[in-house]
Amino acid sequence: MRRFLFSQTSCSLLRRQRRPKDIPHRWFISSTSFSTAEYEDGDAFQSSPSKVKIFDRHLKRTQRDRAAWLLRPNDSFVHAVAENLVDRLEDCKKTFPTALCFGGSLQAARQMLRGRGAIQKFIMMDTSYDMLKLCKSSQRDSDNENIETSYVVGDEEFLPIKESSVDLVISCLGLHWTNDLPGAMIQCKLALKPDGLFLAAILGGETLKELRIACTVAQMEREGGISPRVSPLAQVRDAGNLLTRAGFALPGVDVDEYVVRYNSALDLIEHLRAMGETNALLQRTNILKRETALATAAIYDSMFAAEDGTIPATFQVIYMTGWREHPSQQKSKRRGSATISFKDIQKQFGNGS
């Protein structure tokens, strides 16, 4: 597991710089996808196929709308996650003519492509119309490689993508908000063509552990009990099982840990709002008492503040890689087909221990 440390106040990381080229765009909202024009009340996003309801998908879409106005153009954490995710395309000799990208950091993922994967057609999908509108306007103002870009308003829990229609699916910091994560991953696999690649980055269970501790202590002191303030997240050990359950071939999982430093707990909350990563639990309490909020900030500062006065926030990011099955891929041998015994290997190369 790699560990990164940087300050949110500087909002910069060292990255390789390349001169981009012009990019044409066309505005496209699929008639088979969810559209805010057709569902103004947001009911379409509430009627997901998931039976288990943990997150309020309508609230999450509202938070994404707000994030479109608060989004930081040079967010060092978001860009670092997107860079590390799409950098995996450098290890593939295969090209991916058609790609689908969705999640909380789809704009950063689009910016970090820089010609990787030889993508010709790029589909950007989000539940928020405002976020897609921001992506479209920012891409018009920036230079990039010649990629045909489409924009679709849709939900990760019900992908409006035809089966076997894309070569690459990228989900950057979005799938951890789905009510049915295995089901969403299965839909991603079905959208891929044979030998298509699935890349995903989700927040892991160690994310915001400092904030969890501070909230718990403050609520016990001020209210005599606790209520969920930070959403539940998947553990590292679950990621491999999720890929296998979804039916991906050649699954791979790795973890990075980012420590971002803020001037205060308020700056941390503002950053979470700008990313659209604030609490969206159905069983949440809608009111946070002022005294509890102040106590949380004070406890956070007293327990975790550094000598320079900044406070750390840990973000654990789990990266998942999987392929849709294809005859050309490596496959494990049939059970019992081995011709060499491990006992013989131990006798020949072992040290007798």
Side-chain angles (χ1 to χ4, degrees):
M1 178 179 71
R2 297 179 295 176
R3 185 180 177 90
F4 300 86
L5 176 65
F6 50 93
S7 174
Q8 184 60 27
T9 56
S10 63
C11 292
S12 64
L13 284 178
L14 293 177
R15 299 193 298 268
R16 293 173 292 178
Q17 299 293 331
R18 301 180 184 177
R19 184 172 181 81
K21 303 177 182 178
D22 294 334
I23 172 174
H25 299 275
R26 66 184 178 90
W27 177 256
F28 173 73
I29 298 182
S30 172
S31 60
T32 58
S33 67
F34 292 103
S35 171
T36 52
E38 297 179 76
Y39 301 98
E40 293 293 342
D41 58 355
D43 291 341
F45 293 97
Q46 293 283 38
S47 57
S48 68
S50 173
K51 296 180 180 179
V52 180
K53 299 293 184 181
I54 301 174
F55 303 111
D56 188 337
R57 296 292 295 171
H58 176 50
L59 175 62
K60 180 51 58 180
R61 183 180 62 132
T62 303
Q63 292 173 353
R64 294 287 296 158
D65 288 337
R66 180 179 62 187
W69 296 94
L70 302 176
L71 189 67
R72 303 177 182 183
N74 297 310
D75 192 319
S76 53
F77 166 67
V78 171
H79 281 76
V81 174
E83 173 77 16
N84 289 336
L85 180 63
V86 301
D87 189 62
R88 284 154 173 76
L89 296 175
E90 297 278 8
D91 302 326
C92 302
K93 295 181 180 180
K94 178 181 171 60
T95 60
F96 306 95
T98 305
L100 167 67
C101 181
F102 59 87
S105 305
L106 77 165
Q107 183 179 3
R110 175 65 181 83
Q111 294 174 354
M112 295 297 111
L113 281 176
R114 300 200 192 102
R116 296 182 176 103
I119 297 173
Q120 301 173 6
K121 182 178 180 181
F122 197 71
I123 305 171
M124 301 181 73
M125 189 188 81
D126 201 291
T127 57
S128 169
Y129 176 87
D130 291 342
M131 184 61 70
L132 287 177
K133 197 173 180 180
L134 174 67
C135 293
K136 182 175 183 289
S137 61
S138 63
Q139 291 299 327
R140 183 188 295 118
D141 297 335
S142 65
D143 297 328
N144 217 314
E145 57 271 17
N146 187 20
I147 298 178
E148 179 186 357
T149 306
S150 303
Y151 302 86
V152 177
V153 180
D155 192 351
E156 298 95 329
E157 293 190 353
F158 191 76
L159 284 181
I161 305 297
K162 289 180 60 177
E163 185 174 349
S164 302
S165 60
V166 297
D167 303 282
L168 172 67
V169 172
I170 301 174
S171 174
C172 190
L173 299 180
L175 282 176
H176 52 271
W177 289 112
T178 56
N179 287 304
D180 183 12
L181 182 53
M185 293 175 63
I186 290 173
Q187 292 184 62
C188 291
K189 189 203 74 169
L190 293 176
L192 288 169
K193 297 177 182 178
D195 204 27
L197 176 61
F198 170 74
L199 294 176
I202 62 173
L203 294 178
E206 293 298 311
T207 297
L208 299 178
K209 57 185 178 182
E210 301 90 352
L211 182 60
R212 294 174 191 268
I213 294 173
C215 283
T216 300
V217 175
Q219 284 188 307
M220 289 296 294
E221 284 184 356
R222 302 294 176 173
E223 302 176 16
I226 60 174
S227 58
R229 288 292 175 186
V230 182
S231 301
L233 298 168
Q235 299 296 325
V236 178
R237 61 180 178 271
D238 301 325
N241 294 332
L242 287 169
L243 287 167
T244 303
R245 181 177 175 183
F248 285 105
L250 307 176
V253 177
D254 59 288
V255 183
D256 282 344
E257 190 173 278
Y258 303 82
V259 178
V260 187
R261 295 198 172 276
Y262 301 88
N263 291 327
S264 66
L266 180 60
D267 290 339
L268 166 59
I269 300 303
E270 289 299 320
H271 187 207
L272 293 176
R273 287 180 176 177
M275 293 191 296
E277 293 291 338
T278 45
N279 190 5
L281 287 170
L282 279 172
Q283 302 299 325
R284 68 192 181 279
T285 54
N286 295 325
I287 299 176
L288 176 62
K289 296 181 179 179
R290 178 183 175 84
E291 58 181 19
T292 303
L294 294 176
T296 300
I299 292 170
Y300 202 131
D301 185 75
S302 63
M303 294 182 67
F304 303 105
E307 294 181 358
D308 59 358
T310 60
I311 60 169
T314 301
F315 293 88
Q316 184 187 54
V317 181
I318 303 175
Y319 297 95
M320 297 184 289
T321 306
W323 297 80
R324 185 162 185 180
E325 53 283 321
H326 188 268
S328 64
Q329 295 171 353
Q330 299 176 355
K331 293 181 176 60
S332 58
K333 294 292 185 179
R334 180 178 54 84
R335 186 177 181 87
S337 62
T339 58
I340 301 176
S341 171
F342 278 105
K343 291 183 179 180
D344 296 337
I345 296 176
Q346 186 177 11
K347 290 178 181 179
Q348 184 174 357
F349 300 102
N351 53 13
S353 59

